[in-house]
Amino acid sequence: MSEGIDEGLRRELQRQGVWVTSMQELYNWGRKNSIWPLQFGLACCAIEMIATAASRYDIARFGGEIFRPSPRQADLMIVAGTVTKKMAPQIVRLYNQMPDPKYVISMGACAISGGPFKQGYNVLKGIDRYIPVDVYIPGCPPRPEALLHAFMELQRKIDSQKLSGADKAEFLKPEQPSEFPVPAFGEHDLQPPANPDVYHPPKLERV
Amino acid sequence: METLEQIKNRAQLAARGARIEIVVNPGPSQQSSLLIDNEYAVAVAKFLRDDPALRLDFCSNATGVDWLDRKIKKTVKVKTVVDGVEKEIDQTTEEAVSGYLEAVYHLYSMTLKHGPLIIRMRTANRTDGARLPSLTPIWRSAELQEREIFDLYGIHFEGHPDLRRILMWDEFVDHPMRKDYREPDDYEWEPTPHDDVLEKAKQHYTPRPQLDGAENIVAGGDSLNG
Ligand code: SF4
């Protein structure tokens, strides 16, 4: 909402054909309705993402249909599927190559926590070990409606981001990192197995 | 297709000196296999592929098996004389078998539409002797699958055109499908651990020895949002 103008007056003016808005509102309105996702899929969840992009579910209704084949042109990374440890460094690298502001949707049990492969040796237990995630979608796989819901949640988040002031959006703060270290292939596991600046597992206690 | 016995005899005639054994599978599938000896494996494979009555031109599947050191129990009936009366009693003997790795190939014939014939090869041991001749020169379709066996079981295939890891990264040192493989520990966050996983996950919990056994696990409040 635009600040400094009375909401009632604004509506009254609108009725008279005068549209008063703020830079922030206009900017966020434009951003949230043209989110370009990065075009890549990792496993079964990607099939649901493809269905979401096709005509029946039609993500174009929300302005997200322009899947970009290059991270340089993408705003949103939908991590749709199983992230194997062999693939994880490439995902982080792609994320680093995306320009700010950038967002991540972690789609499905695999991308959240490793899902059905959590006890395996070769699957990363959640992409949030290396990059920050904005919206998590549970499910195995989540239905296209769930992805649309996540997309709308993300739009809500973008809409509420401030462009100035102390509580302005993270991507506008120069001290906030927008690139994260790419893990290296180690002898038994990725090195490091998680980025401690990003990943904070809950402490478990026995009661 | 001929019986396994006939194939074995003819293969031994074709590849002179080859020792071939039949490994019986008593399970419902009844898929017994031929254990061929490593030295003559390529010659035997060539025979299986080129013999006009067999023409096993398609290797549909190659995989590995890990056999740890184990003991085989055998029970035989023996006759003994107890108190002057002859009796039949069971005698159990234990035989120690040292571990080895096995490669198993499933062969079909596209030309003659029969199969499968299953052949196996065994390595000398699970460490320095984990070598087998590659059958990729005979069946091209074995190339990637032998690489997978090499990656996950650690069998070196001699004569393979391009033996590299295929699923794990090149820097990886273990062979994850071996039975004594230990996966890296990332059990710090297990919402519903049980059995083996619980045992491993316990190492990350605050120790509460007086409560051992009562595994009611909750997330500590302060760290949830980091
Ligand atoms: S969460 Fe389920 S559907 Fe999605 S990638 Fe994993 S296994 Fe496949």
Side-chain angles (χ1 to χ4, degrees):
Chain A
M1 288 296 105
S2 51
E3 280 136 35
I5 181 164
D6 177 61
E7 198 48 38
L9 175 63
R10 203 166 91 107
R11 244 179 259 133
E12 182 57 37
L13 281 170
Q14 215 160 29
R15 220 167 287 140
Q16 306 301 325
V18 182
W19 189 40
V20 181
T21 185
S22 68
M23 194 55 211
Q24 176 181 305
E25 205 176 325
L26 195 64
Y27 182 71
N28 282 348
W29 170 80
R31 285 200 308 137
K32 78 169 193 203
N33 289 306
S34 67
I35 302 176
W36 292 7
L38 182 58
Q39 185 177 34
F40 80 107
L42 296 172
C44 5
C45 273
I47 304 297
E48 300 296 300
M49 182 180 70
I50 295 161
T52 316
S55 52
R56 180 177 284 264
Y57 297 99
D58 197 12
I59 205 171
R61 293 178 293 154
F62 304 89
E65 78 279 21
I66 310 182
F67 280 81
R68 302 311 296 179
S70 157
R72 301 289 186 203
Q73 303 166 347
D75 308 305
L76 167 65
M77 176 180 244
I78 304 176
V79 184
T82 320
V83 187
T84 58
K85 286 179 181 169
K86 201 173 175 181
M87 185 55 102
Q90 278 70 266
I91 308 260
V92 179
R93 200 166 284 131
L94 283 173
Y95 178 84
N96 288 348
Q97 288 173 353
M98 284 163 62
D100 259 335
K102 51 187 168 186
Y103 303 92
V104 177
I105 290 180
S106 178
M107 179 179 182
C110 285
I112 294 176
S113 70
F117 315 108
K118 192 168 194 301
Q119 264 81 50
Y121 58 90
N122 58 341
V123 171
L124 186 73
K125 279 120 194 107
I127 191 63
D128 56 2
R129 282 171 178 251
Y130 294 116
I131 56 177
V133 173
D134 296 281
V135 187
Y136 295 85
I137 323 173
C140 179
R143 285 194 53 90
E145 290 93 331
L147 180 56
L148 289 177
H149 183 211
F151 202 81
M152 287 158 71
E153 281 302 320
L154 184 67
Q155 288 185 324
R156 216 160 286 152
K157 173 170 181 168
I158 293 175
D159 207 22
S160 68
Q161 283 186 323
K162 295 237 172 15
L163 298 186
S164 55
D167 56 348
K168 66 183 173 192
E170 304 271 286
F171 68 88
L172 293 168
K173 295 178 185 162
E175 70 277 10
Q176 285 287 342
S178 72
E179 288 184 17
F180 293 90
V182 178
F185 290 130
E187 293 192 344
H188 304 282
D189 200 356
L190 290 175
Q191 286 307 328
N195 180 354
D197 297 337
V198 179
Y199 180 62
H200 309 283
K203 271 203 205 85
L204 294 180
E205 275 164 25
R206 290 191 283 165
V207 292
Chain B
M1 210 165 56
E2 301 150 281
T3 63
L4 223 47
E5 192 69 35
Q6 288 168 319
I7 296 174
K8 178 192 146 185
N9 291 338
R10 290 211 300 124
Q12 268 168 334
L13 279 180
R16 290 214 167 268
R19 277 163 291 122
I20 304 180
E21 265 173 60
I22 295 180
V23 181
V24 183
N25 179 352
S29 71
Q30 300 278 312
Q31 285 195 326
S32 302
S33 49
L34 294 179
L35 176 64
I36 60 183
D37 97 69
N38 302 346
E39 206 182 322
Y40 291 90
V42 177
V44 171
K46 224 185 172 94
F47 162 78
L48 295 175
R49 186 191 62 183
D50 295 339
D51 182 73
L54 291 171
R55 286 295 196 93
L56 296 161
D57 48 14
F58 175 51
C59 169
S60 84
N61 175 45
T63 188
V65 187
D66 182 14
W67 295 93
L68 295 173
D69 295 348
R70 67 208 153 111
K71 290 205 170 81
I72 298 177
K73 272 193 182 154
K74 276 199 189 121
T75 310
V76 279
K77 289 211 186 316
V78 281
K79 286 198 173 132
T80 45
V81 181
V82 185
D83 303 334
V85 192
E86 202 180 16
K87 270 192 185 164
E88 218 175 50
I89 56 161
D90 288 350
Q91 197 178 47
T92 310
T93 50
E94 269 194 353
E95 190 194 342
V97 183
S98 62
Y100 48 82
L101 298 159
E102 215 171 49
V104 185
Y105 297 74
H106 287 214
L107 309 174
Y108 289 82
S109 171
M110 287 284 137
T111 334
L112 302 178
K113 307 222 183 311
H114 61 210
L117 176 76
I118 302 153
I119 58 173
R120 295 161 184 261
M121 292 186 288
R122 279 181 193 165
T123 64
N125 56 38
R126 300 174 70 254
T127 48
D128 53 341
R131 319 191 144 267
L132 288 178
S134 168
L135 298 187
T136 304
I138 311 291
W139 292 288
R140 188 65 206 269
S141 60
E143 181 183 345
L144 296 187
Q145 305 197 56
E146 282 183 351
R147 275 178 68 185
E148 189 177 340
I149 301 172
F150 165 70
D151 189 355
L152 303 181
Y153 289 91
I155 301 178
H156 291 260
F157 286 94
E158 278 151 2
H160 190 285
D162 181 25
L163 197 64
R164 288 178 291 137
R165 282 188 183 271
I166 186 168
L167 296 172
M168 305 308 286
W169 50 91
D170 292 337
E171 293 84 349
F172 198 71
V173 293
D174 303 323
H175 303 293
M177 289 291 278
R178 288 207 187 181
K179 285 176 180 160
D180 50 6
Y181 171 74
R182 287 283 155 264
E183 68 273 31
D185 173 19
D186 30 27
Y187 293 90
E188 68 277 65
W189 167 224
E190 284 292 330
T192 54
H194 49 82
D195 303 341
D196 294 354
V197 177
L198 175 63
E199 286 308 311
K200 289 174 192 161
K202 266 184 192 171
Q203 294 162 14
H204 294 277
Y205 303 154
T206 350
R208 302 278 295 274
Q210 74 279 17
L211 288 170
D212 264 353
E215 299 307 341
N216 201 355
I217 290 148
V218 295
D222 60 313
S223 57
L224 259 178
N225 298 317

